[in-house]
Amino acid sequence: MSDKRPFYVTTPIYYVNDVPHVGHAYTSLACDAIARFKRLDGYDVHFLTGTDEHGQKIEKSSAAAGMGPQAYADKVSETFRSLVGTMGFSPDGFIRTTEARHRAACQALWEKLKAAGDIYEGKYAGWYAVRDEAFYAESETEKGPDGARRATASGAEVEWVEEPSYFFRLSAWGERLLAYYEANPRFIAPESRRNEVLSFVRSGLQDLSVSRTSFKWGVPVPGDPKHVMYVWLDALTNYITECGYPDTTHRLARFWPADLHVVGKDIIRFHTVYWPAFLMAAGVAPPRRVYAHGWWTNEGQKISKSLGNAIDPVALVGEYGLDQVRYFLLREVPFGADGDFNRRALIGRINSDLANAYGNLCQRTLSIVAKNCNGRVPARGPATEADEALLGRARSLLATLRDEFEEQALHRALIGLWETIADANRYVDAQAPWALAKTDPARRDTVLWVLMDAIRRVTLLVQPFMPGSTARILDQLGVPADKRDFAAFDVELPAGRELPTPSGVFPRHIEPKPAG
Ligand code: ME8
């Protein structure tokens, strides 16, 4: 077993009722950047994503598509799997809830909850939203002008359901949940979400219906197969299925409790109330942290199937480039806040942050090196105050980024990196290495070495966000493949190393002229 520290990070598992849009890509992208950062920082990372394939919503959409639910799930799940390749995600596992290992884990968890006295048989009569796969109290719904009743929080239509059901004794867990939140102040983030959950739990919890009898597409309840498990009990269990539950040795012992579940703000309650309660009732430790990010709109509008304005991440990558899209999504909106997807903003960032700032810094530095230093890493002489200022800033970035990643402040990490890029560009202007070529070649070499080292440090840290482009920049800087993790952050470039011919990495985006 590795002596590295383990780190387990998960995305939500996505419903297969529809193909992925930019919102799904966003959550997985954030997890990917975090997983890559931790790997580079020497952790033994397990990064899990996958698809949520049971429940009434999937049963209904498969029927609407004229397919059996399994064939339908197979087909749509594949679109999420192929998005992994398109977006350059690096998961260590891709789980599907229709796998046999998952059914076994759900049933084992159910037996535990039952044996603990936390599951009892009864009858559910109340409101249910298929779109959210959620039960709502009447007070959480309202009737619209069209006469339809909807969940106030999500806008999903609710229907009245009355059926035999098993219940989880959630009402008995309120105090223990509050004690867990109290003892683990980092469990729910950001702070605004934590407050929201605290007030929900303090207001008193109702027992939760955890089985359904009016449809069939789910994991059968052990010993009572008329019932299928409530899809959220089924779905949440995926995080421990992946670790081999109910076998508590091996991966569960190593990676559980999960370090981080990243979710959208829409599903915070499931992850921070139901999930820890199920786990505690089954004698399993709750996860360490749940981070809920915000919601993307499209040019000011809510993204929805009925509006037909879902943004296809595959098309986006085709049009603007993979790393460009990855950068924009994580830079544009403070992680945790809501944001608006706007093409002008995307193009603006591609041209200013990537082409003009980062790309130009690399390109002008490396082309002067190619022209003046025989295409080799120049030798450094004594450092001036200006050199030390830039190098000092670049050296401090790793410690700063570790703190930002601890808080999932991905946008702040990028802001700090780009401030250093701006500093470096000002340094080039002030030092004017092209002018030193004739007057003071030794000083010119020092300036170029300082720039190359600053670019190297920044680029090592940009890797989790833009793996492809940074690999090309590191190639051009002559950084060997085994000197690209953070253990090599302080391994400086040796003078004299031969460099490949530089070429631009971040082209400007020019909008194609409308036809005609
Ligand atoms: O809720 N902006 O699956 P789901 C930002 N299967 N993020 C968005 C988004 C948007 N407009 N739209 C979707 C489910 N997301 C359950 C999860 S986990 C045990 C089960 C992201 O397919 C965001 O992360 O509806 C949200 O939480 C998730 O997709 C919901 O995906």
Side-chain angles (χ1 to χ4, degrees):
M1 189 174 283
S2 152
D3 57 1
K4 292 174 165 183
R5 273 180 297 169
F7 184 82
Y8 184 25
V9 57
T10 68
T11 75
I13 48 171
Y14 304 108
Y15 286 128
V16 290
N17 65 309
D18 205 355
V19 297
H21 66 61
V22 75
H24 307 113
Y26 180 61
T27 316
S28 296
L29 171 60
C31 292
D32 185 65
I34 292 166
R36 287 175 185 272
F37 186 91
K38 287 289 185 180
R39 283 189 200 111
L40 289 165
D41 209 14
Y43 286 76
D44 177 16
V45 171
H46 196 81
F47 165 23
L48 177 67
T49 188
T51 46
D52 187 355
E53 307 186 2
H54 287 135
Q56 206 173 0
K57 165 151 134 170
I58 309 304
E59 197 181 80
K60 276 191 165 176
S61 5
S62 69
M67 290 174 83
Q70 185 66 59
Y72 180 76
D74 289 347
K75 185 175 150 201
V76 184
S77 177
E78 204 45 47
T79 63
F80 281 92
R81 197 187 287 273
S82 89
L83 186 70
V84 167
T86 311
M87 293 291 303
F89 298 150
S90 60
D92 301 288
F94 187 101
I95 192 166
R96 301 183 53 190
T97 55
T98 50
E99 291 173 55
R101 60 169 175 156
H102 181 65
R103 170 196 285 239
C106 290
Q107 292 183 330
L109 183 69
W110 182 281
E111 303 274 20
K112 274 274 190 218
L113 299 176
K114 188 109 196 275
D118 277 293
I119 282 186
Y120 64 90
E121 210 172 344
K123 184 175 170 219
Y124 180 75
W127 296 104
Y128 191 77
V130 177
R131 196 181 89 194
D132 299 344
E133 296 283 22
F135 301 94
Y136 288 107
E138 185 147 313
S139 58
E140 295 175 299
T141 68
E142 57 199 13
K143 237 180 171 160
D146 59 354
R149 188 173 284 279
R150 293 190 175 78
T152 311
S154 69
E157 217 169 289
V158 294
E159 62 191 31
W160 185 257
V161 167
E162 263 188 61
E163 60 188 26
S165 172
Y166 286 95
F167 284 84
F168 174 74
R169 232 177 267 288
L170 185 63
S171 59
W173 284 91
E175 289 307 315
R176 282 173 283 187
L177 283 168
L178 290 169
Y180 185 74
Y181 305 151
E182 177 85 12
N184 299 278
R186 286 179 46 81
F187 176 55
I188 308 171
E191 192 65 24
S192 57
R193 299 288 159 220
R194 177 178 153 84
N195 295 335
E196 181 187 307
V197 173
L198 285 181
S199 71
F200 173 72
V201 175
R202 281 197 191 115
S203 72
L205 296 172
Q206 307 287 313
D207 288 351
L208 178 71
S209 165
V210 285
S211 76
R212 304 286 313 271
T213 40
S214 50
F215 66 94
K216 289 267 151 278
W217 185 237
V219 177
V221 165
D224 196 353
K226 288 189 306 303
H227 293 252
V228 293
M229 285 182 205
Y230 174 39
V231 65
W232 270 101
L233 173 55
D234 163 344
L236 289 161
T237 304
N238 91 86
Y239 302 129
I240 54 175
T241 301
E242 174 72 0
C243 295
Y245 186 83
D247 178 356
T248 53
T249 56
H250 307 298
R251 204 183 267 164
L252 204 70
R254 176 142 182 82
F255 284 106
W256 197 261
D259 294 276
L260 180 64
H261 294 318
V262 178
V263 299
K265 66 179 185 180
D266 54 324
I267 55 175
I268 186 85
R269 194 184 285 183
F270 300 98
H271 282 82
T272 59
V273 181
Y274 302 168
W275 182 223
F278 295 153
L279 287 169
M280 287 195 268
V284 181
R288 293 188 209 278
R289 183 166 168 95
V290 177
Y291 189 97
H293 66 66
W295 212 239
W296 282 91
T297 48
N298 181 3
E299 312 271 347
Q301 274 196 320
K302 185 179 153 79
I303 298 177
S304 88
K305 206 174 173 176
S306 52
L307 288 172
N309 66 346
I311 301 163
D312 172 11
V314 180
L316 215 54
V317 167
E319 199 169 340
Y320 298 99
L322 172 56
D323 280 349
Q324 284 74 0
V325 171
R326 288 179 60 115
Y327 174 78
F328 173 74
L329 290 175
L330 294 178
R331 172 62 186 85
E332 181 67 6
V333 176
F335 200 58
D338 293 336
D340 186 45
F341 187 90
N342 167 311
R343 276 169 203 264
R344 272 196 25 226
L346 168 61
I347 294 168
R349 288 210 180 271
I350 290 174
N351 290 339
S352 64
D353 301 8
L354 298 183
N356 290 354
Y358 190 21
N360 196 27
L361 173 67
C362 298
Q363 185 64 12
R364 58 182 176 158
T365 302
L366 289 167
S367 61
I368 306 174
V369 172
K371 260 193 227 120
N372 295 276
C373 313
N374 280 331
R376 290 176 186 275
V377 177
R380 65 203 285 213
T384 64
E385 215 173 290
D387 301 350
E388 283 305 338
L390 180 60
L391 288 174
R393 176 147 202 179
R395 285 181 190 130
S396 71
L397 284 170
L398 176 56
T400 312
L401 258 76
R402 282 192 179 123
D403 293 344
E404 316 276 37
F405 271 83
E406 213 49 44
E407 299 305 317
Q408 291 77 45
L410 304 179
H411 63 292
R412 281 218 306 269
L414 286 170
I415 291 171
L417 290 166
W418 259 256
E419 281 170 358
T420 307
I421 289 171
D423 272 0
N425 269 320
R426 279 190 289 270
Y427 172 91
V428 186
D429 294 338
Q431 302 296 323
W434 51 88
L436 291 168
K438 292 204 182 73
T439 54
D440 191 350
R443 175 64 196 149
R444 172 203 64 200
D445 283 3
T446 301
V447 167
L448 293 172
W449 186 90
V450 167
L451 281 165
M452 286 184 71
D453 196 56
I455 297 171
R456 182 187 65 84
R457 288 178 193 268
V458 166
T459 304
L460 289 179
L461 297 172
V462 179
Q463 288 180 99
F465 299 97
M466 297 195 281
S469 316
T470 48
R472 289 175 56 200
I473 296 171
L474 293 170
D475 288 346
Q476 298 187 26
L477 290 168
V479 180
D482 65 348
K483 293 287 179 283
R484 295 183 182 189
D485 62 18
F486 300 159
F489 190 67
D490 290 324
V491 179
E492 296 176 345
L493 293 167
R497 175 174 291 154
E498 203 173 333
L499 300 170
T501 310
S503 67
V505 171
F506 295 113
R508 287 183 65 79
H509 180 86
I510 318 270
E511 274 298 83
K513 286 211 171 62

